[in-house]
Amino acid sequence: MLKVGVLGAGHLGKIHLRLLQQSDKYNLIGFFDPSKENAASVAEEFGYTAFDSVEALIDAVEVVDIVTPTLSHFDCAKSAIEKGRHIFIEKPITKTVLEAEALKTLASQFHVLGQVGHVERFNPAFTAVKDQIENPMFIECHRLAEFNPRGTDVPVVLDLMIHDIDIILSVVKSTVKSVHASGVAVISETPDIANARIEFENGCVANLTASRISMKNMRKSRFFQKDAYISVNFLSKESEVVRMKDVPANPDEFAMILQNAEGVKKQIYFENPEVENNNAILDELESFAGSIKSNTSPVVSLRQGTEALKVAQMIIDCF
């Protein structure tokens, strides 16, 4: 079991603490939170060991789980890496691309692994179909959330849209060619609703909408590729694959058949892959433990976290 400590015991930090305590891959040593009042409350309620400083916690563990506000990610991660500790860091990796690049260099220099908490990569609705997403040419993503003061310290692009940016970059095997976007600040000092269009060198186009002032929650992505349409509902954890194949010699009488202007006929097949229920946060944390044990690249590496942040910054620069 890897000795792990958590930096930050806010809403998400408490979830990480509970899951790490349950995991048979980790030995939870304790946590640090800058609010002495909150630290005392969490320690008393759950029995976790509260440390007096970031440095003391880092010294006591092998893996540091950073669940602090984005603004402090870099300083926390730098301190951990320089002590030779592996880091799990919540998304976005850092506040700026320069900070993210510096962390990548440091991790390489000190021979430690880092994983970024892009939890949707472990969403069972996505993992059920990700191997079927091949060379998508049009992608549409909607990530809408009801207003919550948590997360408003950063633009909605870094708070919500970055989940979809990371998912898109994981399935489109091409470099970004151009980005066009607009955003509006409604309640916060930074944009609360944004729309972005990302064009890739291979011709793929991704259209993303994110809002944190919606009346209802929605987290849905749709991938269109040659002879297939794949839908992923990250919220309800459901997937659908619609495929078009050549019509068989003797089609079923109930078969759905389309014919284009050239007279080519295709039969439509609907598939709802089995989606296994899971705890995506626990899965990402335990996946990182596996990477450390086998010394292999994490599912969401520091490099990938940096690439997602770069595209997010390109979008923000359009506002």
Side-chain angles (χ1 to χ4, degrees), residues 3-300:
K3 291 191 287 185
V4 66
V6 177
L7 295 180
H11 173 75
L12 189 54
K14 283 187 216 168
I15 294 172
H16 279 232
L17 283 163
R18 174 173 57 81
L19 295 172
L20 289 167
Q21 180 86 305
Q22 292 173 6
S23 174
D24 59 5
K25 305 272 195 285
Y26 291 102
N27 174 16
L28 178 62
I29 302 300
F31 74 98
F32 169 78
D33 191 275
S35 164
K36 285 189 164 54
E37 189 180 330
N38 186 50
S41 165
V42 170
E44 184 181 348
E45 185 177 352
F46 302 104
Y48 310 130
T49 302
F51 281 75
D52 293 331
S53 69
V54 171
E55 292 72 22
L57 177 71
I58 290 171
D59 286 340
V61 301
E62 299 165 272
V63 182
V64 180
D65 181 10
I66 301 165
V67 201
T68 61
T70 305
L71 298 178
S72 61
H73 280 188
F74 177 75
D75 290 337
C76 292
K78 182 174 183 286
S79 299
I81 292 169
E82 288 177 341
K83 288 281 181 77
R85 307 305 188 243
H86 301 292
I87 59 162
F88 183 96
I89 188 166
E90 261 308 323
K91 64 83 200 164
I93 178 171
T94 49
K95 184 173 184 290
T96 69
V97 173
L98 275 177
E99 288 177 343
E101 294 283 7
L103 283 191
K104 268 177 26 188
T105 303
L106 270 176
S108 175
Q109 189 181 331
F110 284 88
H111 306 291
V112 300
L113 291 176
Q115 179 164 317
V116 185
H118 283 288
V119 70
E120 295 289 38
R121 291 274 204 108
F122 294 84
N123 188 304
F126 176 65
T127 57
V129 296
K130 68 177 182 180
D131 291 339
Q132 298 186 59
I133 302 173
E134 300 168 350
N135 198 30
M137 295 311 290
F138 182 70
I139 302 170
E140 191 155 39
C141 303
H142 287 88
R143 188 167 292 263
L144 315 177
E146 295 172 8
F147 184 73
N148 185 332
R150 277 190 302 106
T152 53
D153 56 326
V154 293
V156 70
V157 175
L158 294 180
D159 180 24
L160 296 179
M161 190 183 281
I162 196 158
H163 282 295
D164 298 310
I165 294 169
D166 173 68
I167 289 288
I168 288 167
L169 294 180
S170 77
V171 298
V172 179
K173 307 307 178 192
S174 180
T175 54
V176 173
K177 180 182 175 183
S178 64
V179 168
H180 304 277
S182 57
V184 180
V186 180
I187 296 174
S188 319
E189 295 301 310
T190 58
D192 295 302
I193 184 166
N195 176 261
R197 176 185 169 93
I198 304 171
E199 296 182 15
F200 292 86
E201 293 286 356
N202 70 349
C204 177
V205 172
N207 192 27
L208 300 85
T209 300
S211 167
R212 57 186 175 202
I213 50 166
S214 295
M215 300 300 287
K216 63 175 184 177
N217 294 323
M218 178 192 285
R219 305 205 304 260
K220 192 170 184 180
S221 294
R222 289 171 287 186
F223 305 86
F224 298 84
Q225 60 197 41
K226 179 69 174 169
D227 290 336
Y229 156 77
I230 298 164
S231 170
V232 179
N233 191 325
F234 292 93
L235 193 59
S236 65
K237 296 182 171 56
E238 295 171 306
S239 307
E240 183 177 41
V241 180
V242 181
R243 292 197 178 279
M244 288 192 292
K245 298 180 181 177
D246 292 333
V247 178
N250 298 301
D252 184 278
E253 61 177 307
F254 298 110
M256 188 177 288
I257 296 171
L258 295 179
Q259 182 174 327
N260 66 14
E262 288 73 36
V264 177
K265 292 182 179 180
K266 296 278 185 178
Q267 182 170 340
I268 298 179
Y269 296 83
F270 294 89
E271 179 194 340
N272 292 99
E274 187 177 336
V275 176
E276 293 182 14
N277 203 20
N278 73 332
N279 186 309
I281 297 176
L282 179 61
D283 279 3
E284 66 178 351
L285 290 166
E286 293 196 333
S287 167
F288 185 46
S291 295
I292 294 168
K293 289 291 187 187
S294 60
N295 193 30
T296 53
S297 181
V299 172
V300 189

